[in-house]
Amino acid sequence: MATTQLTASSVTVSARNLASFEGLRPSTGKFSSLGTLKSGALTHRSFKGLVVKAAGVVAAKYTLIKPLGDRVLVKIKEAEQKTESGILLLPTAQSKPQGGEVVAVGKGKKIGKTKLESSVKTGAQVIYSKYAGTEVEFNDSNHLILKEDDIVGILETDDIKDLKPLNDTVFIKVAKAEEKTAGGLWLTQASKEKKPSIGTVIAVGPGTLDEEGNKKPLPVAPGNTVLYSNYTGNDFNGSDGTNYIAMRVSDVMAVLS
């Protein structure tokens, strides 16, 4: 029976076939390898639920993007192309950046009768949540339009340990995995690699406002040892190899003592 092999280079979806928006030029997104399919098995129904994510391209005739409300425009930091030892990384090995420079901010938002201006300013270097916002190509650079709540914090140095969290974000140093069980048995490498859910709070955001405009302080403080939910937050590696995680305070379950 005849078969058809589809690869990343053989299936291309044009933005003309997707919903169009004023000011966006067509761009293309490619599927990763789809494996081997029987001839004739590929139909419109086969792609139900399959999402193609490609950056929209803002036409050259537009020279300004002005975010609305509490949205922020961030110029995405370029991915590292070399390792610390100078080895060139293939595009597939380059980690997707989670940071960049704020180039424009909206006028803020209202909570009850209180108007809040953006807590980030143009020029600030910020770290944002994975999968946040909408990516656009503007002035030959990749940008991200996202809500301020999706910004994890401000980073003024090259080391993530210096992150200054925003809003209700908690920044935690992840506890190292135990080498032995309580009974003294050595743990296997697979057991040690299980994601710990305990860590020490390094820094916390200023909190959020209630509908009366009053600041609500967070229930945890730097120095607290906390238990947090698994599979939550954003993971980071420090320059010394230390693991950190940033999450909303609602994902912190308990303070340990």
Side-chain angles (χ1 to χ4, degrees):
M1 183 177 292
T3 62
T4 301
Q5 178 71 34
L6 295 181
T7 65
S9 61
S10 64
V11 181
T12 303
V13 175
S14 170
R16 292 188 183 93
N17 298 325
L18 304 176
S20 60
F21 298 89
E22 183 179 0
L24 297 184
R25 295 202 308 269
S27 63
T28 59
K30 294 183 178 181
F31 298 114
S32 59
S33 177
L34 297 177
T36 302
L37 299 177
K38 293 181 179 180
S39 179
L42 193 62
T43 64
H44 175 74
R45 187 181 296 269
S46 304
F47 291 96
K48 185 177 181 181
L50 183 61
V51 177
V52 180
K53 185 177 181 182
V57 182
V58 178
K61 65 180 180 179
Y62 297 100
T63 59
L64 179 68
I65 296 179
K66 185 178 180 181
L68 299 179
D70 60 341
R71 290 178 176 83
V72 177
L73 179 66
V74 175
K75 183 178 180 181
I76 300 173
K77 181 180 178 181
E78 292 185 4
E80 295 292 339
Q81 298 183 355
K82 292 184 179 180
T83 64
E84 292 183 359
S85 57
I87 299 174
L88 284 172
L89 294 170
L90 295 173
T92 53
Q94 295 173 12
S95 58
K96 183 178 179 182
Q98 260 183 266
E101 179 184 352
V102 175
V103 294
V105 297
K107 292 185 178 180
K109 63 181 179 180
K110 271 191 173 183
I111 297 181
K113 297 181 179 180
T114 304
K115 178 143 193 257
L116 295 177
E117 293 185 356
S118 177
S119 57
V120 294
K121 305 298 180 186
T122 301
Q125 299 294 324
V126 297
I127 302 295
Y128 47 80
S129 298
K130 291 179 292 188
Y131 316 118
T134 299
E135 192 172 324
V136 294
E137 186 179 321
F138 177 62
N139 286 343
D140 297 323
S141 297
N142 289 329
H143 291 70
L144 195 69
I145 299 178
L146 69 164
K147 285 184 172 288
E148 185 185 331
D149 283 348
D150 288 324
I151 295 178
V152 174
I154 297 173
L155 186 61
E156 298 173 343
T157 71
D158 292 330
D159 199 336
I160 193 64
K161 71 179 178 61
D162 299 319
L163 181 74
K164 296 179 180 177
L166 295 179
N167 303 313
D168 61 345
T169 300
V170 179
F171 187 52
I172 296 170
K173 179 180 177 180
V174 178
K176 291 184 178 180
E178 296 291 340
E179 298 282 339
K180 296 181 179 181
T181 66
L185 297 177
W186 289 97
L187 293 170
T188 64
Q189 187 62 32
S191 297
K192 288 189 290 184
E193 288 176 354
K194 288 182 179 178
K195 183 178 177 182
S197 56
I198 294 176
T200 302
V201 176
I202 302 299
V204 299
T208 56
L209 297 181
D210 60 23
E211 292 187 358
E212 303 295 326
N214 300 314
K215 185 77 71 176
K216 298 187 296 183
L218 301 189
V220 296
N224 286 160
T225 299
V226 295
L227 178 69
Y228 53 85
S229 300
N230 283 322
Y231 313 111
T232 189
N234 294 271
D235 299 300
F236 303 99
N237 292 322
S239 58
D240 61 353
T242 301
N243 294 323
Y244 298 92
I245 187 168
M247 67 186 66
R248 301 215 181 257
V249 70
S250 57
D251 289 320
V252 177
M253 299 187 293
V255 176
L256 306 178
S257 59

